[in-house]
Amino acid sequence: MDSLKKLNEEIITCRKCPRLVAWREEVARVKRKAYQDQEYWGKPVPGFGDPQARVLVVGLAPGAHGSNRTGRNFTGDASGGFLYPALYRAGFANQPTAVSRDDGLTLKDLYLAASARCVPPDNKPTPEELNNCQPYLERDLEILKPKVIVCLGRVAFERILKIYGIRNSEFKFAHGALYKLNTDLPNTGPWLLCSYHPSQQNTLTGKLTVKMFDEVWTKAKELVQDE
Ligand code: SF4
């Protein structure tokens, strides 16, 4: 727990990516009209969840007016509005809503991290920015040693493959795809479970439905229970 706390303190003060530092602060200064009276977080967003989690969820990056505003993963935007009810239904969250850092939300057996911890323009971190941020994700993995890694979207999937040194073309991103990652000993690594990202682009178009998303969390539950 202490090491996660220490890691998150380090993440919050990071200024490794000049473009993202400038953007996160600019978004926090200008603000969206609806949030003019609020103080934006405007810093890297640390990991959030259960320090004993067996499920690690890897997203893309903070939302400009979601977690870059509230300071907590998937909190205060439409992606979180789709994610947290699903986590609640699956028993990973104590409530279906996430509006601010002090709204009483807690996660059980699940921890949320991201491929990049700062909001990128157009939701697109550059390869260099993702590389800069990768050591934080590696440390989350080292500390938590998760049984299941759920990748929300292709960027997170590719980042995990990179961390595990997998170039195998048999590992393809698809919603619901499931792979066993090998570490030094065969069949000892975590499961890698893929999901479409719960962005509005996917949820409003029907590419990702509530049923499809629920199936991911049911599967994640099954996998940790089988271990
Ligand atoms: S994206 Fe990651 S590496 Fe880059 S400034 Fe933010 S926290 Fe640091």
Side-chain angles (χ1 to χ4, degrees), residues 54-66:
R54 291 176 296 172
V55 179
L56 173 66
V57 181
V58 186
L60 170 58
H65 306 282

Side-chain angles (χ1 to χ4, degrees), residues 11 14-17 20-21 24 44 116-118 132-133 136:
I11 290 172
C14 183
R15 300 182 71 83
K16 260 188 252 173
C17 310
L20 300 190
V21 171
R24 75 193 189 203
R117 314 291 173 135
C118 295
N132 286 346
C133 219
Y136 297 135

Side-chain angles (χ1 to χ4, degrees), residues 60-157:
L60 170 58
H65 306 282
S67 57
N68 187 58
R69 172 174 61 90
T70 61
R72 195 179 64 192
N73 279 299
F74 285 100
T75 298
D77 64 9
S79 298
F82 199 84
L83 174 70
Y84 284 114
L87 295 183
Y88 175 68
R89 287 190 294 273
F92 287 118
N94 71 330
Q95 61 185 45
T97 52
V99 292
S100 67
R101 292 200 305 287
D102 57 4
D103 61 7
L105 174 68
T106 56
L107 302 182
K108 194 174 164 217
D109 209 7
L110 186 139
Y111 193 83
L112 291 167
S115 308
R117 314 291 173 135
C118 295
V119 57
D122 300 322
N123 288 326
K124 286 198 181 87
T126 64
E128 190 191 351
E129 288 158 354
L130 288 165
N131 287 342
N132 286 346
C133 219
Q134 182 174 314
Y136 297 135
L137 187 53
E138 288 173 6
R139 281 166 64 194
D140 278 327
L141 287 161
E142 274 164 29
I143 296 166
L144 288 165
K145 297 186 177 43
K147 303 280 183 221
V148 180
I149 301 168
V150 179
C151 287
L152 299 179
R154 188 183 295 276
V155 172
F157 175 72

